[in-house]
């Protein structure tokens, strides 16, 4: 139940903006996401999709993806598991982006100690892949 409440808090509500630097995921939240096992993650997603601001994303995987819906954007959270342990987490920020938003995302994720990231630009989104550095 603690993890369910946590997910509700980190993925905020409909009345927020997705790219505000103080609204992006923080280090503590990221650490908790990396503690999930696949079954726990899937159960939490099924619970959260009952809220209007969340939905499940269909994919070709046995892991559910969670879409958070904001006023100006959507964020898809995609954990990648290996042997039931989170190997990396992908966040896809879907919005009409500009260089300022890209800088906010880049600067934000650079502050996370013990985590490495890379990002990829698409037509209307930025995907950030986060993994633990060795």
């Amino acid at each position: 139940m603690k993890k369910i409440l946590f997910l509700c808090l980190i993925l905020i509500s409909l009345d927020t903006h997705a790219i505000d630097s103080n609204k992006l995921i923080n280090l503590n939240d990221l650490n908790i996401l990396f503690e999930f096992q696949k079954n726990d993650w899937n159960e939490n997603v099924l619970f959260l999709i009952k809220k209007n601001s969340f939905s499940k994303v269909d994919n070709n995987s046995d892991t559910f993806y969670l879409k958070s819906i904001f006023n100006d954007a959507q964020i898809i959270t995609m954990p990648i598991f290996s042997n039931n342990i989170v190997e990396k987490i992908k966040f896809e920020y879907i919005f009409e982006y500009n260089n300022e938003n890209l800088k906010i995302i880049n600067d934000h994720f650079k502050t996370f100690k013990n985590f490495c990231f890379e990002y990829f630009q698409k037509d209307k989104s930025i995907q950030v892949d986060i993994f633990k550095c060795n």
Side-chain angles (χ1 to χ4, degrees):
M1 184 57 104
K2 174 184 168 188
K3 289 182 180 180
I4 292 172
L5 293 174
F6 159 75
L7 278 176
C8 287
L9 293 174
I10 66 163
L11 299 173
I12 321 228
S13 71
L14 281 171
D15 297 327
T16 60
H17 300 283
I19 302 301
D20 292 345
S21 62
N22 62 342
K23 299 284 195 272
L24 293 171
I25 191 166
N26 66 41
L27 182 58
N28 290 333
D29 297 340
L30 190 60
N31 280 320
I32 292 172
L33 283 175
F34 270 89
E35 292 176 6
F36 272 102
Q37 293 184 349
K38 188 184 298 187
N39 289 340
D40 293 336
W41 170 259
N42 285 339
E43 288 174 11
N44 283 299
V45 169
L46 290 175
F47 173 80
L48 288 172
I49 62 174
K50 296 176 185 175
K51 307 258 183 221
N52 289 335
S53 57
F54 300 104
S55 67
K56 182 176 130 271
V57 176
D58 292 325
N59 59 59
N60 294 329
S61 170
D62 60 348
T63 302
F64 297 150
Y65 296 165
L66 182 66
K67 183 188 294 186
S68 306
I69 303 164
F70 296 86
N71 287 337
D72 58 349
Q74 298 175 359
I75 300 173
I76 300 175
T77 305
M78 302 169 276
I80 307 302
F81 290 89
S82 175
N83 295 325
N84 207 29
I85 297 170
V86 176
E87 180 178 296
K88 84 168 107 169
I89 299 174
K90 296 181 179 192
F91 295 100
E92 185 169 1
Y93 295 88
I94 304 166
F95 58 97
E96 294 291 334
Y97 67 86
N98 55 41
N99 287 337
E100 181 181 332
N101 288 340
L102 183 59
K103 181 176 177 0
I104 290 169
I105 288 172
N106 188 42
D107 291 348
H108 177 74
F109 286 107
K110 279 184 178 177
T111 66
F112 291 171
K113 295 180 181 175
N114 302 322
F115 287 97
C116 295
F117 80 98
E118 52 190 6
Y119 63 87
F120 309 93
Q121 291 179 286
K122 298 182 180 180
D123 286 343
K124 293 189 177 187
S125 70
I126 297 173
Q127 180 176 310
V128 180
D129 292 1
I130 302 174
F131 50 95
K132 291 185 178 180
C133 299
N134 293 330

